[in-house]
Amino acid sequence: MSAGLSMQELSSWLGVRSDTVQDWCSGRRPVPKGVFEQLGDLVAKQSSEACRLGPELRGDLDTAVRLLLHSDVDAQRNGWPTAAAFNLSVMRGWSLHRAS
């Protein structure tokens, strides 16, 4: 998923069964409007975090790697659904400001 969530992570975050998410992704069932809104909010949060972190990282990969979260528990304590969702923001911030 573009927000950095696997189907399993998405189903857990949304509180739905994994086969429901599979049905949405395959087109067998329509995706509820609320799910699109939640994903949109997450992508907006990721973009905002990437823009905030970018100047701090100054394209330094070592600094970016130190910021990465290794546990979903840590991510959830900081308001993220998964470590992968936060880590995607870090890497986007790094890529925005890396040396050309």
Side-chain angles (χ1 to χ4, degrees):
M1 316 252 22
S2 65
L5 301 175
S6 68
M7 282 192 218
Q8 183 68 31
E9 290 168 332
L10 183 60
S11 67
S12 177
W13 180 53
L14 294 172
V16 299
R17 295 169 40 125
S18 58
D19 62 335
T20 299
V21 173
Q22 290 172 351
D23 287 349
W24 294 339
C25 291
S26 69
R28 287 189 295 266
R29 294 168 97 177
V31 180
K33 180 181 176 186
V35 170
F36 281 120
E37 290 170 352
Q38 285 181 281
L39 284 172
D41 290 346
L42 178 58
V43 169
K45 181 178 180 175
Q46 288 173 319
S47 295
S48 175
E49 189 72 1
C51 289
R52 184 187 75 76
L53 288 172
E56 176 184 328
L57 296 172
R58 296 179 305 280
D60 180 20
L61 186 56
D62 290 334
T63 302
V65 168
R66 282 193 297 276
L67 288 176
L68 297 177
L69 296 175
H70 302 285
S71 125
D72 288 343
V73 171
D74 289 339
Q76 290 160 2
R77 283 188 195 130
N78 289 289
W80 293 91
T82 65
F86 173 77
N87 292 345
L88 184 60
S89 300
V90 172
M91 297 317 295
R92 284 181 178 158
W94 168 78
S95 69
L96 286 172
H97 293 275
R98 67 183 171 163
S100 302

